[in-house]
mmCIF file of all heavy atoms in Angstrom:
data_model
loop_
_atom_site.group_PDB
_atom_site.id
_atom_site.type_symbol
_atom_site.label_atom_id
_atom_site.label_comp_id
_atom_site.label_asym_id
_atom_site.label_seq_id
_atom_site.Cartn_x
_atom_site.Cartn_y
_atom_site.Cartn_z
ATOM 1 N N ASP B 244 -15.204 -14.993 41.895
ATOM 2 C CA ASP B 244 -14.847 -14.420 43.193
ATOM 3 C C ASP B 244 -15.044 -12.949 43.237
ATOM 4 O O ASP B 244 -15.400 -12.419 44.193
ATOM 5 C CB ASP B 244 -13.268 -14.719 43.451
ATOM 6 C CG ASP B 244 -12.998 -16.156 43.589
ATOM 7 O OD1 ASP B 244 -13.881 -16.898 44.223
ATOM 8 O OD2 ASP B 244 -11.882 -16.651 43.241
ATOM 9 N N ILE B 245 -14.727 -12.334 42.088
ATOM 10 C CA ILE B 245 -14.884 -10.858 42.060
ATOM 11 C C ILE B 245 -15.239 -10.469 40.642
ATOM 12 O O ILE B 245 -14.773 -10.920 39.631
ATOM 13 C CB ILE B 245 -13.385 -10.233 42.293
ATOM 14 C CG1 ILE B 245 -13.034 -10.404 43.735
ATOM 15 C CG2 ILE B 245 -13.384 -8.677 41.898
ATOM 16 C CD1 ILE B 245 -11.854 -9.746 44.275
ATOM 17 N N ILE B 246 -16.145 -9.494 40.662
ATOM 18 C CA ILE B 246 -16.652 -8.859 39.374
ATOM 19 C C ILE B 246 -16.146 -7.450 39.311
ATOM 20 O O ILE B 246 -16.418 -6.639 40.282
ATOM 21 C CB ILE B 246 -18.124 -8.992 39.154
ATOM 22 C CG1 ILE B 246 -18.571 -10.419 39.033
ATOM 23 C CG2 ILE B 246 -18.511 -8.251 37.828
ATOM 24 C CD1 ILE B 246 -20.029 -10.637 39.030
ATOM 25 N N ILE B 247 -15.476 -7.111 38.305
ATOM 26 C CA ILE B 247 -14.960 -5.689 38.073
ATOM 27 C C ILE B 247 -15.870 -5.002 36.980
ATOM 28 O O ILE B 247 -15.896 -5.657 35.869
ATOM 29 C CB ILE B 247 -13.542 -5.583 37.786
ATOM 30 C CG1 ILE B 247 -12.716 -6.215 38.859
ATOM 31 C CG2 ILE B 247 -13.103 -4.028 37.614
ATOM 32 C CD1 ILE B 247 -11.152 -6.336 38.539
ATOM 33 N N ILE B 248 -16.415 -4.004 37.254
ATOM 34 C CA ILE B 248 -17.274 -3.278 36.176
ATOM 35 C C ILE B 248 -16.326 -2.086 35.676
ATOM 36 O O ILE B 248 -16.036 -1.124 36.338
ATOM 37 C CB ILE B 248 -18.484 -2.644 36.800
ATOM 38 C CG1 ILE B 248 -19.428 -3.709 37.295
ATOM 39 C CG2 ILE B 248 -19.403 -1.954 35.724
ATOM 40 C CD1 ILE B 248 -20.579 -3.328 38.201
ATOM 41 N N GLY B 249 -15.936 -2.195 34.510
ATOM 42 C CA GLY B 249 -15.107 -1.241 33.754
ATOM 43 C C GLY B 249 -13.699 -1.938 33.505
ATOM 44 O O GLY B 249 -12.976 -2.161 34.385
ATOM 45 N N ALA B 250 -13.427 -2.073 32.126
ATOM 46 C CA ALA B 250 -12.007 -2.466 31.834
ATOM 47 C C ALA B 250 -11.275 -1.321 31.328
ATOM 48 O O ALA B 250 -10.813 -1.274 30.225
ATOM 49 C CB ALA B 250 -12.244 -3.489 30.573
ATOM 50 N N GLY B 251 -11.044 -0.276 32.154
ATOM 51 C CA GLY B 251 -10.269 0.856 31.802
ATOM 52 C C GLY B 251 -8.958 0.960 32.645
ATOM 53 O O GLY B 251 -8.446 -0.052 33.071
ATOM 54 N N SER B 252 -8.601 2.191 32.763
ATOM 55 C CA SER B 252 -7.398 2.541 33.511
ATOM 56 C C SER B 252 -7.217 1.848 34.939
ATOM 57 O O SER B 252 -6.172 1.466 35.313
ATOM 58 C CB SER B 252 -7.154 3.961 33.678
ATOM 59 O OG SER B 252 -7.247 4.641 32.389
ATOM 60 N N VAL B 253 -8.295 1.652 35.565
ATOM 61 C CA VAL B 253 -8.381 1.177 36.824
ATOM 62 C C VAL B 253 -8.717 -0.287 36.884
ATOM 63 O O VAL B 253 -8.097 -1.183 37.537
ATOM 64 C CB VAL B 253 -9.388 2.000 37.770
ATOM 65 C CG1 VAL B 253 -9.565 1.239 39.159
ATOM 66 C CG2 VAL B 253 -8.772 3.412 37.941
ATOM 67 N N GLY B 254 -9.775 -0.602 36.120
ATOM 68 C CA GLY B 254 -10.415 -1.998 36.084
ATOM 69 C C GLY B 254 -9.364 -2.997 35.633
ATOM 70 O O GLY B 254 -9.079 -4.136 36.178
ATOM 71 N N LEU B 255 -8.541 -2.636 34.654
ATOM 72 C CA LEU B 255 -7.558 -3.643 34.002
ATOM 73 C C LEU B 255 -6.493 -3.987 34.948
ATOM 74 O O LEU B 255 -6.196 -5.075 35.272
ATOM 75 C CB LEU B 255 -6.950 -2.990 32.713
ATOM 76 C CG LEU B 255 -7.908 -2.967 31.517
ATOM 77 C CD1 LEU B 255 -7.393 -2.142 30.304
ATOM 78 C CD2 LEU B 255 -8.172 -4.454 30.995
ATOM 79 N N PRO B 256 -5.693 -2.940 35.583
ATOM 80 C CA PRO B 256 -4.618 -3.294 36.620
ATOM 81 C C PRO B 256 -5.289 -4.020 37.766
ATOM 82 O O PRO B 256 -4.641 -4.927 38.394
ATOM 83 C CB PRO B 256 -3.980 -1.993 36.949
ATOM 84 C CG PRO B 256 -4.730 -0.940 36.417
ATOM 85 C CD PRO B 256 -5.644 -1.511 35.373
ATOM 86 N N THR B 257 -6.442 -3.592 38.296
ATOM 87 C CA THR B 257 -7.132 -4.166 39.353
ATOM 88 C C THR B 257 -7.356 -5.801 39.095
ATOM 89 O O THR B 257 -7.083 -6.605 39.858
ATOM 90 C CB THR B 257 -8.391 -3.505 39.686
ATOM 91 O OG1 THR B 257 -8.175 -2.231 39.889
ATOM 92 C CG2 THR B 257 -9.057 -4.232 40.870
ATOM 93 N N ALA B 258 -7.827 -6.112 37.924
ATOM 94 C CA ALA B 258 -8.047 -7.416 37.493
ATOM 95 C C ALA B 258 -6.760 -8.145 37.555
ATOM 96 O O ALA B 258 -6.708 -9.346 37.989
ATOM 97 C CB ALA B 258 -8.669 -7.484 36.153
ATOM 98 N N LEU B 259 -5.745 -7.551 37.093
ATOM 99 C CA LEU B 259 -4.421 -8.271 37.025
ATOM 100 C C LEU B 259 -3.933 -8.555 38.499
ATOM 101 O O LEU B 259 -3.531 -9.801 38.758
ATOM 102 C CB LEU B 259 -3.316 -7.503 36.368
ATOM 103 C CG LEU B 259 -1.928 -7.986 36.333
ATOM 104 C CD1 LEU B 259 -1.844 -9.274 35.580
ATOM 105 C CD2 LEU B 259 -0.892 -6.983 35.649
ATOM 106 N N TYR B 260 -3.976 -7.583 39.373
ATOM 107 C CA TYR B 260 -3.417 -7.824 40.715
ATOM 108 C C TYR B 260 -4.266 -8.772 41.531
ATOM 109 O O TYR B 260 -3.749 -9.557 42.269
ATOM 110 C CB TYR B 260 -3.340 -6.512 41.359
ATOM 111 C CG TYR B 260 -2.027 -5.668 40.893
ATOM 112 C CD1 TYR B 260 -2.232 -4.563 40.303
ATOM 113 C CD2 TYR B 260 -0.872 -6.322 40.952
ATOM 114 C CE1 TYR B 260 -1.130 -3.903 39.701
ATOM 115 C CE2 TYR B 260 0.231 -5.656 40.372
ATOM 116 C CZ TYR B 260 0.051 -4.437 39.797
ATOM 117 O OH TYR B 260 1.143 -3.808 39.293
ATOM 118 N N LEU B 261 -5.619 -8.849 41.184
ATOM 119 C CA LEU B 261 -6.444 -9.777 41.930
ATOM 120 C C LEU B 261 -6.253 -11.236 41.364
ATOM 121 O O LEU B 261 -6.210 -12.174 42.070
ATOM 122 C CB LEU B 261 -7.904 -9.416 41.907
ATOM 123 C CG LEU B 261 -8.191 -8.140 42.487
ATOM 124 C CD1 LEU B 261 -9.683 -7.592 42.228
ATOM 125 C CD2 LEU B 261 -8.161 -8.328 44.149
ATOM 126 N N ALA B 262 -5.972 -11.267 40.033
ATOM 127 C CA ALA B 262 -5.741 -12.583 39.410
ATOM 128 C C ALA B 262 -4.438 -13.182 39.925
ATOM 129 O O ALA B 262 -4.316 -14.433 40.101
ATOM 130 C CB ALA B 262 -5.800 -12.406 37.970
ATOM 131 N N LYS B 263 -3.473 -12.315 40.171
ATOM 132 C CA LYS B 263 -2.204 -12.812 40.773
ATOM 133 C C LYS B 263 -2.356 -13.467 42.114
ATOM 134 O O LYS B 263 -1.543 -14.208 42.525
ATOM 135 C CB LYS B 263 -1.241 -11.625 40.924
ATOM 136 C CG LYS B 263 -0.605 -11.127 39.697
ATOM 137 C CD LYS B 263 0.414 -10.035 40.025
ATOM 138 C CE LYS B 263 1.270 -9.749 38.745
ATOM 139 N NZ LYS B 263 2.501 -9.367 39.175
ATOM 140 N N GLU B 264 -3.453 -13.141 42.864
ATOM 141 C CA GLU B 264 -3.737 -13.647 44.173
ATOM 142 C C GLU B 264 -4.702 -14.826 43.995
ATOM 143 O O GLU B 264 -5.355 -15.303 44.840
ATOM 144 C CB GLU B 264 -4.454 -12.666 45.026
ATOM 145 C CG GLU B 264 -3.662 -11.423 45.251
ATOM 146 C CD GLU B 264 -2.227 -11.688 45.851
ATOM 147 O OE1 GLU B 264 -2.134 -12.581 46.652
ATOM 148 O OE2 GLU B 264 -1.339 -10.919 45.688
ATOM 149 N N LYS B 265 -4.701 -15.392 42.645
ATOM 150 C CA LYS B 265 -5.396 -16.730 42.385
ATOM 151 C C LYS B 265 -6.887 -16.528 42.486
ATOM 152 O O LYS B 265 -7.621 -17.496 42.741
ATOM 153 C CB LYS B 265 -4.961 -17.912 43.269
ATOM 154 C CG LYS B 265 -3.465 -17.939 43.273
ATOM 155 C CD LYS B 265 -2.935 -18.926 42.189
ATOM 156 C CE LYS B 265 -1.540 -19.304 42.412
ATOM 157 N NZ LYS B 265 -0.638 -18.336 41.813
ATOM 158 N N LEU B 266 -7.453 -15.260 42.415
ATOM 159 C CA LEU B 266 -8.854 -15.099 42.505
ATOM 160 C C LEU B 266 -9.517 -15.226 41.027
ATOM 161 O O LEU B 266 -8.863 -14.978 40.020
ATOM 162 C CB LEU B 266 -9.280 -13.789 43.040
ATOM 163 C CG LEU B 266 -8.868 -13.543 44.533
ATOM 164 C CD1 LEU B 266 -8.986 -12.133 44.888
ATOM 165 C CD2 LEU B 266 -9.666 -14.445 45.365
ATOM 166 N N LYS B 267 -10.768 -15.637 41.044
ATOM 167 C CA LYS B 267 -11.408 -15.841 39.779
ATOM 168 C C LYS B 267 -12.146 -14.592 39.478
ATOM 169 O O LYS B 267 -13.018 -14.208 40.182
ATOM 170 C CB LYS B 267 -12.327 -17.052 39.748
ATOM 171 C CG LYS B 267 -12.909 -17.486 38.519
ATOM 172 C CD LYS B 267 -13.911 -18.513 38.528
ATOM 173 C CE LYS B 267 -14.473 -18.817 37.133
ATOM 174 N NZ LYS B 267 -15.770 -19.418 37.161
ATOM 175 N N VAL B 268 -11.538 -13.886 38.343
ATOM 176 C CA VAL B 268 -12.049 -12.556 38.152
ATOM 177 C C VAL B 268 -12.775 -12.395 36.839
ATOM 178 O O VAL B 268 -12.419 -12.949 35.822
ATOM 179 C CB VAL B 268 -10.986 -11.543 38.190
ATOM 180 C CG1 VAL B 268 -11.315 -10.144 37.999
ATOM 181 C CG2 VAL B 268 -10.077 -11.601 39.493
#
Side-chain angles (χ1 to χ4, degrees):
Chain B
D244 295 324
I245 293 186
I246 297 172
I247 301 172
I248 302 169
S252 306
V253 172
L255 287 168
T257 303
L259 175 63
Y260 287 117
L261 291 170
K263 280 183 169 213
E264 303 299 331
K265 311 270 187 273
L266 293 173
K267 195 184 173 206
V268 181

